[in-house]
Amino acid sequence: MMKEYLFNLIKKHQYNISIYTEDIFERRCQEEIIRSDEDKSSFVYVEFDFETIDNTLGNKANSQQFWNVFIETLSQNKRGNDILGFLEHESGIGLLLLDSKLDGWTRLAGRFSRNASKHNFDIINLVLEKTVKPIVYPSCIQDIQAQQAQKQEQ
């Protein structure tokens, strides 16, 4: 149901946004890991889980407003190389900010907040601060390797 809502929203406002199917999005994520390893670059991966957002915001009207602000903000600030796709079982939306680090996500989150304020929807910050956890690749791998090395030393 959320998939249809998002597609209708994009169509209604004629936003220039594409959302990959879960299969294609998963493949793009894998390709980006390979590309980042080869180019020694980084990217940010962020998940927006539909159910978690619904639970955080408390009702359907707030959830729909979240997605309105989300899609509108992305359409205004989207870089051509960022990738949006459905997560497994269409349980949410994944976002890849290519050639980016945590500051890229911080800037985009700020844009979400500013746009939400224009719509008197400051509760978007509940989602951005409490439920959305950006992952920076390859830093996340280096962090895991450092933790494993630390455990071995002990």
Side-chain angles (χ1 to χ4, degrees), residues 109-148:
R111 290 179 185 134
F112 285 134
S113 292
R114 283 190 296 281
N115 194 27
S117 284
K118 292 178 192 171
H119 295 283
N120 294 315
F121 190 69
D122 292 322
I123 63 172
I124 195 171
N125 293 318
L126 288 175
V127 173
L128 297 176
E129 294 167 8
K130 295 186 180 183
T131 66
V132 177
K133 304 291 182 237
I135 298 169
V136 180
Y137 184 90
S139 301
C140 60
I141 300 301
Q142 293 162 353
D143 291 346
I144 290 169
Q145 289 170 342
Q147 289 171 358
Q148 289 173 341

Side-chain angles (χ1 to χ4, degrees), residues 12-146:
K12 175 183 174 187
H13 295 285
Q14 298 180 340
Y15 293 136
N16 186 21
I17 290 181
S18 299
I19 305 175
Y20 286 120
T21 63
E22 61 185 91
D23 293 342
I24 293 173
F25 183 65
E26 184 178 330
R27 196 166 341 137
R28 285 295 290 123
C29 289
Q30 292 167 352
E31 290 168 355
E32 192 54 33
I33 289 171
I34 293 166
R35 189 187 74 79
S36 283
D37 288 344
E38 290 173 352
D39 296 351
K40 304 285 187 246
S41 62
S42 62
F43 66 90
V44 179
Y45 174 79
V46 189
E47 287 186 351
F48 299 86
D49 181 75
F50 295 141
E51 188 176 333
T52 303
I53 290 169
D54 287 351
N55 292 339
T56 301
L57 295 176
N59 62 52
K60 187 175 182 176
N62 282 344
S63 291
Q64 289 179 337
Q65 183 65 14
F66 171 87
W67 292 107
N68 290 348
V69 168
F70 179 88
I71 296 294
E72 180 182 297
T73 303
L74 282 182
S75 74
Q76 295 168 349
N77 298 285
K78 187 170 185 297
R79 302 178 312 154
N81 61 345
D82 294 337
I83 299 169
L84 202 58
F86 286 101
L87 301 175
E88 193 173 15
H89 307 298
E90 296 177 354
S91 61
I93 294 283
L95 174 63
L96 288 177
L97 303 174
L98 304 184
D99 298 318
S100 193
K101 294 190 174 165
L102 196 55
D103 60 333
W105 164 249
T106 303
R107 279 193 302 276
L108 182 57
R111 290 179 185 134
F112 285 134
S113 292
R114 283 190 296 281
N115 194 27
S117 284
K118 292 178 192 171
H119 295 283
N120 294 315
F121 190 69
D122 292 322
I123 63 172
I124 195 171
N125 293 318
L126 288 175
V127 173
L128 297 176
E129 294 167 8
K130 295 186 180 183
T131 66
V132 177
K133 304 291 182 237
I135 298 169
V136 180
Y137 184 90
S139 301
C140 60
I141 300 301
Q142 293 162 353
D143 291 346
I144 290 169
Q145 289 170 342

